[in-house]
């Protein structure tokens, strides 16, 4: 089936008042960014919907494949066009039905006649097309309320447009419409899911990762780079800040009692993240913590960790069950990468009996014997910044 264009429906964006245009502009820019490799795509935004067109049928098929990952889209429909000739309309209707699974499905035809000069009235066109479809697809059953297949026909002055699929979009808000935050990306299952959920609410992300060679391998770093790249597939560049953390972790192990060392580690990570956040102009910090999942995620531990900053900390998974988090990880495509057996700096230094209810005053007392500020400053200054998705290298560059 050759489609003429894609009709995009905004969903939640339609509830916006005077700011609607701003949200629509974010969505349009994100679509252009996501499909920069498809040069013939044209985007035309209207108040209540958006049209994507291309003269290249392969590009239209690629749009259909990739649009479900773009936040801010409630649903979309591939659209075919034909002339106002009734035979052409019936032919196009049958071609659309041929592209669908019609076996034992419910069906109706919906007509919108914008061109009132069209030779048939709405009811006449509706019954003519429906009768022809039913003759060719006898297993279809007519149902006027909530059918499984709704063949929609819109008669305009210059053409007739038809569609029958409503493909779910990612929903949420367009990326960038709610500012920027910094995601603490560990390499496990939870943090990429937390990043995805904030992105769905329109938050553009940088990510920060703590790397402790030789205790953590290059493969563990590559694993996190893969996760950052996978998050960039949802419509925006993701910058990954890799923090050299070895010296800090060794200092913690030497100075802090074993049972509260993980709390101090998390507190220093939060301090570093806060400094990076300030440098890049982000407004919040995002973590993948879920209440009670591990010792560092009890209410007492989170309180001690929060005490080092007044920056908003977003924990979208805080009340979620682990199995639900895994389901989302599988759905967004990060699960298989997250379970690769390369340990991060938190797992390799996990104490045997960590405190689940650390006292803030005791943690601060132990930390007072070591000045971590200079180490934190050096770690921030010496971080590596990598942007995703990676730009394609010019294979002819060396020949120039």
């Amino acid at each position: 089936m050759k489609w003429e264009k894609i009709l995009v429906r905004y969903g939640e964006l339609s509830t916006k008042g005077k700011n609607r245009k701003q949200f629509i502009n974010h969505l349009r820019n994100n679509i252009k960014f996501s499909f920069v490799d498809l040069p013939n795509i044209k985007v035309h935004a209207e108040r209540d919907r958006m049209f994507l067109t291309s003269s290249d049928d392969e590009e239209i098929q690629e749009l259909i494949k990739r649009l479900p990952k773009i936040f801010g889209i409630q649903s979309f429909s591939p659209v075919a066009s034909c002339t106002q000739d009734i035979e052409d309309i019936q032919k196009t209707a049958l071609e659309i039905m041929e592209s669908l699974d019609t076996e034992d499905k419910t069906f109706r035809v919906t007509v919108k006649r914008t061109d009132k000069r069209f030779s048939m009235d709405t009811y006449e066109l509706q019954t003519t097309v429906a009768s022809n479809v039913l003759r060719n697809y006898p297993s279809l059953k007519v149902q006027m309320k909530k059918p499984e297949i709704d063949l929609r026909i819109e008669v305009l002055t210059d053409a007739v447009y038809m569609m029958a699929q409503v493909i779910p979009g990612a929903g949420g808000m367009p990326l960038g419409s709610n500012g920027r935050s910094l995601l603490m990306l560990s390499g496990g299952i939870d943090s990429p899911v937390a990043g995805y959920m904030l992105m769905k609410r329109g938050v553009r992300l940088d990510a920060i990762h703590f790397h402790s060679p030789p205790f953590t391998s290059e493969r563990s770093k590559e694993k996190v780079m893969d996760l950052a790249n996978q998050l960039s597939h949802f419509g925006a560049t993701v910058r990954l800040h890799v923090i050299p953390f070895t010296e800090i972790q060794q200092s913690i192990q030497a100075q802090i009692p074993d049972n509260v060392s993980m709390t101090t580690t998390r507190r220093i990570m939060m301090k570093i993240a806060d400094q990076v956040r300030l440098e890049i102009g982000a407004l919040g910090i995002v973590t993948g913590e879920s209440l009670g999942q591990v010792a560092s995620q009890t209410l007492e531990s989170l309180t001690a960790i929060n005490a080092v900053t007044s920056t908003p900390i977003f924990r979208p998974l805080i009340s979620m069950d682990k199995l639900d988090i895994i389901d989302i990880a599988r759905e967004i495509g990060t699960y298989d990468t997250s379970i690769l057996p390369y340990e991060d700096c938190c797992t390799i230094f996990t104490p045997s009996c960590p405190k689940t209810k650390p006292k803030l005053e005791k943690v601060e007392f132990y930390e007072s014997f070591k000045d971590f500020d200079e180490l934190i400053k050096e770690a921030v200054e010496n971080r590596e910044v990598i942007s995703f998705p990676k730009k394609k290298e010019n294979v002819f560059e060396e020949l120039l």
Side-chain angles (χ1 to χ4, degrees):
M1 180 69 210
K2 181 175 176 58
W3 301 109
E4 177 79 14
K5 61 180 70 176
I6 305 292
L7 167 65
V8 172
R9 301 176 187 88
Y10 298 143
E12 188 174 348
L13 271 63
S14 299
T15 66
K16 302 301 175 184
K18 294 180 180 180
N19 294 327
R20 180 186 300 196
K21 185 176 181 181
Q22 177 184 343
F23 286 93
I24 292 172
N25 286 340
H26 275 293
L27 177 58
R28 180 176 58 232
N29 292 338
N30 291 342
I31 288 174
K32 288 181 177 179
F33 173 85
S34 299
F35 298 104
V36 68
D37 57 320
L38 306 180
N40 299 308
I41 298 295
K42 292 183 173 58
V43 182
H44 173 67
E46 297 181 357
R47 178 176 173 79
D48 296 311
R49 57 188 181 177
M50 183 180 291
F51 290 100
L52 311 180
T53 59
S54 174
S55 56
D56 187 330
D57 187 54
E58 289 186 3
E59 288 190 349
I60 292 288
Q61 295 300 325
E62 192 65 22
L63 276 174
I64 294 171
K65 178 181 176 182
R66 285 153 56 178
L67 271 177
K69 287 188 173 182
I70 306 298
F71 296 119
I73 297 175
Q74 186 67 27
S75 65
F76 63 94
S77 297
V79 180
S81 69
C82 63
T83 67
Q84 288 192 356
D85 180 77
I86 187 59
E87 291 186 2
D88 199 11
I89 293 173
Q90 292 189 0
K91 176 185 175 185
T92 305
L94 292 178
E95 289 175 351
I96 291 175
M97 299 303 296
E98 188 177 346
S99 68
L100 306 175
D101 175 16
T102 60
E103 191 66 28
D104 295 324
K105 294 291 193 298
T106 56
F107 162 80
R108 77 176 177 193
V109 174
T110 304
V111 173
K112 180 179 179 182
R113 222 167 34 98
T114 303
D115 182 6
K116 302 302 182 183
R117 297 172 299 175
F118 184 68
S119 59
M120 292 182 175
D121 63 26
T122 298
Y123 178 75
E124 189 179 2
L125 179 57
Q126 186 179 28
T127 54
T128 300
V129 174
S131 298
N132 189 51
V133 169
L134 290 169
R135 280 195 296 271
N136 285 271
Y137 295 91
S139 70
L140 286 171
K141 298 177 180 64
V142 175
Q143 181 171 301
M144 300 309 293
K145 289 186 178 181
K146 297 182 180 180
E148 293 169 286
I149 299 174
D150 187 2
L151 179 60
R152 304 181 187 185
I153 303 174
E154 185 169 358
V155 181
L156 303 177
T157 54
D158 58 340
V160 174
Y161 291 102
M162 307 173 68
M163 69 190 83
Q165 294 173 272
V166 178
I167 302 172
M173 307 296 291
L175 269 174
S177 61
N178 276 318
R180 181 183 295 276
S181 286
L182 180 65
L183 169 67
M184 299 181 75
L185 188 61
S186 67
I189 295 171
D190 300 340
S191 55
V193 174
Y196 165 82
M197 293 179 74
L198 259 290
M199 293 172 83
K200 188 171 183 177
R201 297 311 304 161
V203 178
R204 199 177 296 274
L205 292 181
D206 277 46
I208 186 169
H209 177 69
F210 298 87
H211 186 47
S212 296
F215 304 108
T216 54
S217 67
E218 278 300 306
R219 296 299 297 273
S220 71
K221 176 181 170 182
E222 291 169 4
K223 170 184 173 180
V224 173
M225 291 169 62
D226 287 342
L227 290 170
N229 186 52
Q230 288 168 342
L231 288 175
S232 75
H233 295 166
F234 292 99
T237 299
V238 174
R239 291 180 301 182
L240 175 65
H241 303 256
V242 181
I243 302 293
F245 203 56
T246 307
E247 189 174 353
I248 291 176
Q249 282 205 281
Q250 289 175 324
S251 297
I252 292 171
Q253 296 303 308
Q255 178 61 47
I256 307 299
D258 191 54
N259 61 351
V260 294
S261 63
M262 184 55 67
T263 303
T264 293
T265 299
R266 298 286 188 182
R267 282 163 54 85
I268 292 178
M269 284 180 171
M270 191 64 72
K271 288 182 179 181
I272 292 172
D274 207 23
Q275 289 195 21
V276 173
R277 174 205 65 79
L278 191 61
E279 284 189 19
I280 65 177
L283 300 176
I285 296 171
V286 186
T287 79
E289 291 159 326
S290 175
L291 190 61
Q293 188 176 124
V294 293
S296 64
Q297 295 176 20
T298 64
L299 200 54
E300 291 82 1
S301 293
L302 294 178
T303 299
I305 294 166
N306 282 10
V308 302
T309 180
S310 59
T311 298
I313 301 173
F314 302 115
R315 296 181 169 98
L317 312 184
I318 194 67
S319 64
M320 290 185 64
D321 184 85
K322 186 68 174 186
L323 295 178
D324 294 332
I325 298 170
I326 289 173
D327 287 343
I328 297 174
R330 286 196 172 108
E331 180 183 334
I332 66 177
T334 58
Y335 178 77
D336 288 340
T337 303
S338 292
I339 62 173
L340 291 174
Y342 308 119
E343 294 182 311
D344 60 35
C345 62
C346 293
T347 55
I348 59 172
F349 284 101
T350 300
S352 57
C353 296
K355 272 194 174 295
T356 58
K357 296 182 179 181
K359 300 291 186 182
L360 176 59
E361 58 273 15
K362 285 191 176 181
V363 175
E364 290 175 335
F365 172 74
Y366 296 135
E367 292 174 2
S368 67
F369 293 97
K370 174 70 178 179
D371 185 5
F372 289 101
D373 290 346
E374 191 61 34
L375 291 176
I376 290 172
K377 180 182 177 183
E378 289 178 7
V380 172
E381 290 176 348
N382 295 327
R383 73 185 187 273
E384 179 184 7
V385 183
I386 312 163
S387 291
F388 299 95
K390 288 270 192 179
K391 292 182 178 179
K392 293 182 179 179
E393 296 182 3
N394 186 347
V395 295
F396 301 106
E397 190 172 356
E398 296 182 359
L399 303 177
L400 298 179

